[in-house]
């Protein structure tokens, strides 16, 4: 009929309009992109409330997933940064149904795009995907899922209203994203949010082991953050990972006292070594290696690492033999500790002594010498709080010295006596200065 032909023609015009808006999401002007995004999302909302396709049976879902997929594809360009447009889109992610279908669309997009690159990273695309999925705020309980853009009569029967389905989609999305090689900077961003924003909402957190193993092999701060993720899987999800402490030990090199992530490294190392059930040889190896590396460390790092070593000695009394070895370093012809050994158990740390800390007692900085000298005395049972020392900088140390008020200033000359101040001056017998 003429009416059917008209409806068909209007449907084609509507689809053409959506295609034009999708194209305008790649426009140079941000205002045009933003207007296109908001118009497309209004279409999604209206189409969800007034489906273009007649519901054929009860229980079918009429949400316009294809049009939402068009929006998601527009938010994830391959060769430009779309973070500003993505931040504008975040207000729609508060709706539980929008979030669910966006997660599905992103998973589909990653599969289509990354399959063509043959494992070669796409920095802009992968950064855009991360910008879109990293702020996703997943609900903790099913009764928290109350905000939907559109509700249907049979909503309770559909997957989109089930928390378990959301978690499965969320897990699949992150696994599909992380199974591909990422740009180096992106590894760090993912690992920083891993324990708070990703692992708690996964049904099987141990599936992240492959990603964490790859991240550890990159080195530097990324290796440390990867070990943090592994530690959470070991501690909270019973993951078996026997080489954990060996890998942590291998991260101890001269750079740890100089890099900008020093505070995070020692905070995590303190957490990893907090158990009193660790074997003495392992803790001794860490103490000895940290002490050896301390010989070339700046003062601000030494003021943090010496209390750190004291805490390790308090937790593991068997290691105090390093401090109280009979005859100390004088009784040794050479240090038996093998610095180059990668296996802590083979390093012979327990046979050594902390002569390095004794050397630091003659450090040019008085605060370092004073801190090192505390190991000569018996340690109290209460651990030192190192949280305030982790962020200590050279500037703060210098500023503290400048503001310090000296009470007694040591003088290198003799005080004046008598009239002329000469030694054994005869005038001193007859005159005094008041």
């Amino acid at each position: 009929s003429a009416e059917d032909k008209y409806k068909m023609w209007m449907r084609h015009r509507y689809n053409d309009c959506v295609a034009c808006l999708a194209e305008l999401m790649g426009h140079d002007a941000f205002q045009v992109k933003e207007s296109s995004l908001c118009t497309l999302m209004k279409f999604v909302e209206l189409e969800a409330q007034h489906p273009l396709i007649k519901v054929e049976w009860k229980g079918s879902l009429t949400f316009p997933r294809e049009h939402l997929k068009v929006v998601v594809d527009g938010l994830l360009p391959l060769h430009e940064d779309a973070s500003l447009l993505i931040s504008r889109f975040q207000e729609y992610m508060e709706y539980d149904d929008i979030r669910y279908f966006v997660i599905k669309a992103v998973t589909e997009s990653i599969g289509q795009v990354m399959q063509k690159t043959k494992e070669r990273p796409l920095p802009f695309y992968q950064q855009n995907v991360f910008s879109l999925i990293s702020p996703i705020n997943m609900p903790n309980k099913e009764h928290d899922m109350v905000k939907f853009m559109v509700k249907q009569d049979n909503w309770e029967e559909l997957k989109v209203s089930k928390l378990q389905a959301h978690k499965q989609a969320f897990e699949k999305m992150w696994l599909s994203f992380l199974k591909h090689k990422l740009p180096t900077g992106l590894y760090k961003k993912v690992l920083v949010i891993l324990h708070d924003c990703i692992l708690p909402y996964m049904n099987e957190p141990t599936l992240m082991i492959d990603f964490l193993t790859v991240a550890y092999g990159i080195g530097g701060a990324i290796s440390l953050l990867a070990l943090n993720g592994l530690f959470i899987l070991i501690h909270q999800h019973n993951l078996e990972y026997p080489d954990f402490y060996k890998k942590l030990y291998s991260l101890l090199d001269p750079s740890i006292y100089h890099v900008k992530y020093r505070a995070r490294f020692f905070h995590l190392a303190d957490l990893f070594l907090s158990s009193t059930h660790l074997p003495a040889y392992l803790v001794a190896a860490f103490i000895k290696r940290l002490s050896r590396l301390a010989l070339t460390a700046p003062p601000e790092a030494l003021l943090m690492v010496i209390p750190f070593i004291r805490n390790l000695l308090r937790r593991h009394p068997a290691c105090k033999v390093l401090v109280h070895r009979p005859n100390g370093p004088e009784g040794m012809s050479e240090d038996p500790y093998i610095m180059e050994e990668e296996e802590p158990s083979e390093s012979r740390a327990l046979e050594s002594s902390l002569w390095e800390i004794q050397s630091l007692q003659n450090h040019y900085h008085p605060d370092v010498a004073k801190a090192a000298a505390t190991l000569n005395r018996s340690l109290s049972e209460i651990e030192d709080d190192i949280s305030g020392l982790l962020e200590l900088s050279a500037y703060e140390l210098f500023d503290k010295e400048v503001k310090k008020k000296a009470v007694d200033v040591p003088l290198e000359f003799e005080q004046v006596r008598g009239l002329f101040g000469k030694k054994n001056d005869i005038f001193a017998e007859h005159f005094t200065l008041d």
Side-chain angles (χ1 to χ4, degrees):
S1 66
E3 188 178 343
D4 287 340
K5 285 181 181 178
Y6 174 70
K7 285 180 179 178
M8 198 178 295
W9 180 82
M10 281 299 294
R11 177 73 59 82
H12 285 307
R13 298 294 69 75
Y14 173 68
N15 290 336
D16 289 343
C17 176
V18 169
C20 287
L21 289 168
E23 194 176 327
L24 288 172
M25 282 185 72
H27 198 273
D28 293 336
F30 177 73
Q31 288 83 356
V32 176
K33 292 180 181 179
E34 187 180 22
S35 299
S36 303
L37 171 67
C38 295
T39 308
L40 281 170
M41 287 308 295
K42 190 66 180 174
F43 283 178
V44 169
E45 181 182 356
L46 291 170
E47 210 175 310
Q49 293 170 352
H50 309 285
L52 297 176
I53 302 167
K54 189 177 180 182
V55 179
E56 295 181 5
W57 66 88
K58 191 182 178 184
S60 63
L61 187 62
T62 57
F63 194 90
R65 282 176 287 183
E66 288 304 316
H67 280 185
L68 189 60
K69 177 76 165 58
V70 168
V71 175
V72 171
D73 289 341
L75 292 170
L76 305 175
L78 300 184
H79 305 296
E80 66 172 303
D81 181 14
S83 54
L84 195 59
L85 191 62
I86 289 169
S87 65
R88 178 68 179 83
F89 179 73
Q90 290 303 329
E91 65 179 73
Y92 297 104
M93 296 287 275
E94 295 175 12
Y95 293 103
D96 294 303
D97 48 351
I98 293 288
R99 183 180 61 244
Y100 177 75
F101 291 115
V102 165
I103 288 173
K104 290 273 195 183
V106 169
T107 308
E108 193 178 330
S109 173
I110 293 169
Q112 290 170 349
V113 173
M114 296 307 296
Q115 194 175 11
K116 299 172 186 174
T117 66
K118 297 179 180 177
E119 295 304 311
R120 181 172 48 84
L122 286 171
F124 282 115
Y125 174 75
Q126 288 172 304
Q127 179 59 54
N128 289 333
V129 172
F130 180 76
S131 300
L132 180 59
I133 67 178
S134 57
I136 288 178
N137 188 19
M138 288 286 286
N140 291 311
K141 296 186 174 66
E142 199 138 334
H143 59 72
D144 293 336
M145 295 171 55
V146 290
K147 193 174 182 182
F148 294 96
M149 182 174 271
V150 56
K151 266 197 171 183
Q152 295 178 235
D153 298 336
N154 58 332
W155 205 243
E156 287 74 20
E157 303 166 21
L158 300 172
K159 273 188 175 183
V160 73
S161 65
K162 307 292 182 189
L163 180 60
Q164 187 67 14
H166 281 248
K167 281 190 171 185
Q168 285 172 350
F170 181 80
E171 179 179 271
K172 188 177 178 184
M173 174 189 67
W174 273 108
L175 290 174
S176 66
F177 178 60
L178 299 177
K179 76 177 182 181
H180 300 286
K181 188 177 180 182
L182 303 177
T184 306
L186 208 51
Y187 277 103
K188 201 180 293 185
K189 291 180 181 178
V190 172
L191 290 166
V192 164
I193 66 166
L194 184 72
H195 61 290
D196 283 334
C197 305
I198 303 175
L199 291 180
Y201 305 107
M202 294 183 72
N203 291 320
E204 291 288 337
T206 49
L207 293 172
M208 296 296 285
I209 182 70
D210 291 338
F211 166 72
L212 291 169
T213 306
V214 170
Y216 173 79
I218 294 171
I222 295 172
S223 295
L224 172 70
L225 293 169
L227 278 186
N228 184 31
L230 286 170
F231 183 77
I232 291 168
L233 294 182
I234 293 166
H235 184 62
Q236 298 178 4
H237 302 284
N238 302 318
L239 177 73
E240 292 289 333
Y241 198 77
D243 289 338
F244 179 81
Y245 285 98
K246 180 183 173 183
K247 287 185 178 293
L248 178 62
Y249 184 72
S250 68
L251 290 178
L252 299 180
D253 59 37
S255 68
I256 59 167
Y257 291 128
H258 302 272
V259 290
K260 63 181 180 181
Y261 60 85
R262 184 187 72 204
R264 189 174 185 91
F265 179 92
F266 280 97
H267 169 72
L268 292 173
D270 189 45
L271 176 68
F272 300 155
L273 296 170
S274 59
S275 172
T276 54
H277 298 291
L278 295 173
Y281 75 82
L282 179 69
V283 179
F286 276 93
I287 292 173
K288 186 65 182 168
R289 190 151 186 165
L290 287 170
S291 303
R292 181 67 60 85
L293 296 171
L295 293 173
T296 56
E300 63 272 15
L302 291 173
L303 289 174
M304 176 268 299
V305 80
I306 292 172
F308 185 89
I309 290 171
R310 283 204 302 261
N311 286 348
L312 291 179
L313 290 170
R314 285 187 179 101
R315 293 172 198 163
H316 306 273
C319 294
K320 289 183 180 178
V321 68
L322 295 172
V323 180
H324 304 296
R325 188 173 296 285
N327 302 323
E330 295 84 5
M332 297 180 181
S333 57
E334 61 178 31
D335 192 342
Y337 173 67
I338 306 168
M339 181 74 174
E340 297 75 25
E341 178 57 55
E342 294 182 1
E343 188 64 59
S345 59
E346 305 292 331
S347 65
R348 298 177 64 192
L350 269 177
E351 301 170 32
S352 182
S353 69
L354 291 184
W355 61 265
E356 298 91 348
I357 303 297
Q358 191 171 340
S359 301
L360 292 176
Q361 291 172 8
N362 301 313
H363 198 273
Y364 71 87
H365 197 291
D367 288 351
V368 173
K370 186 178 176 183
T374 56
L375 282 171
N376 293 340
R377 303 190 295 269
S378 60
L379 296 172
S380 62
E381 290 185 8
I382 301 171
E383 290 191 9
D384 296 318
D385 181 16
I386 64 167
S387 57
L389 302 170
L390 292 175
E391 300 280 0
L392 191 65
S393 66
Y395 174 79
E396 289 173 322
L397 213 57
F398 183 80
D399 198 46
K400 180 184 172 187
E401 289 297 322
V402 169
K403 291 179 179 176
K404 191 183 287 183
K405 291 184 179 179
V407 181
D408 297 318
V409 180
L411 303 175
E412 291 188 355
F413 55 87
E414 292 184 15
Q415 283 186 308
V416 175
R417 294 183 182 85
L419 187 61
F420 297 108
K422 294 179 182 177
K423 202 171 186 180
N424 301 323
D425 186 7
I426 192 168
F427 286 99
E429 297 177 16
H430 305 287
F431 299 93
T432 58
L433 292 175
D434 291 329

